[in-house]
Amino acid sequence: MKSNIIEFEKFKLKIAQDVFFPRDDIEIFPRALKNIIKINCKILELGTGTGAISIALAKNFNNVKIIATDINASALRIAKENANLNRVEKIIDFKESNWFSNIEDNKFDFIVSNPPYLSKKNSSYYTELTDPENSLYAKNNGLDDIYKIFQLGVNYLNKDSYVLIEHSHNQTLILKEHSKKYNLKLIKSEKDILGFNRVSIFSNSI
């Protein structure tokens, strides 16, 4: 499996053709967590890819424990190498899992994910993307995987905890309404480098 190394501000990442390519604004998740992070918190990342998000969180915050999952065995191999490359391998535990299928009965303070959220019917707009299709596109106009994370994720949250989801900016209001079905409420949306809503924070606090 051919791979290359790319550099971000705070860390380096090995990448591979069959693994989702990390985007430039990888620090958006640490920014979103900055004012709500907890001491000794447990974080679950779903669909870790190269491990970029979990590594960014491990680099930015002390006293966190992260479980990072992916269904792609190649991605997990790359992610483990990247954790070692950035000396955060003791903070992140990698697991092969299809969303929550291998998470058992753990509870978390934060669930974070950059899931597939593009609609296949709009694929003609994304011809420049070379990532694996199952890391880009989801059914139901790109919403299906996010809905699954809401539905199942509430069973894995501690009290007064959060779900952070990356999504398309035009999905913000749809997700705000849909999250109410699972007693989640939208706290805020973090904007990307272009000024669009990109990561939304949902809480199960009453």
Side-chain angles (χ1 to χ4, degrees), residues 74-120:
S74 296
L76 288 174
R77 285 195 296 270
I78 288 287
K80 289 176 183 178
E81 291 179 26
N82 283 330
N84 283 302
L85 179 65
N86 291 281
R87 300 179 180 178
V88 293
E89 70 277 3
K90 293 182 179 179
I91 298 173
I92 308 170
D93 180 24
F94 294 97
K95 278 191 171 189
E96 187 169 341
S97 184
N98 183 8
W99 299 134
F100 298 92
S101 65
N102 194 30
I103 304 303
E104 301 166 344
D105 296 323
N106 289 317
K107 296 279 187 176
F108 300 89
D109 302 295
F110 299 94
I111 295 173
V112 303
S113 184
N114 175 14
Y117 58 77
L118 301 180
S119 175
K120 186 67 175 176

Side-chain angles (χ1 to χ4, degrees), residues 15-32:
I15 58 171
Q17 189 174 11
D18 57 347
V19 180
F20 181 81
F21 190 93
R23 305 311 188 229
D24 291 337
D25 195 15
I26 203 67
E27 291 290 324
I28 192 169
F29 277 92
R31 288 203 308 273

Side-chain angles (χ1 to χ4, degrees), residues 11 13 20 22 26 28-30 33 43 45-48 50-60 66 92 112-115 166 199:
F11 55 91
L13 288 177
F20 181 81
I26 203 67
I28 192 169
F29 277 92
L33 276 172
I43 301 172
E45 186 198 356
L46 300 169
T48 193
T50 59
I53 292 172
S54 285
I55 291 168
L57 295 176
K59 284 285 197 180
N60 277 273
I66 303 170
I92 308 170
V112 303
S113 184
N114 175 14
E166 181 166 337
V199 172

Side-chain angles (χ1 to χ4, degrees), residues 116-120 122-123 126 133-139 145:
Y117 58 77
L118 301 180
S119 175
K120 186 67 175 176
N122 295 327
S123 60
Y126 309 117
E133 285 201 359
N134 65 355
S135 70
L136 295 173
Y137 300 105
K139 297 178 181 178
D145 287 311

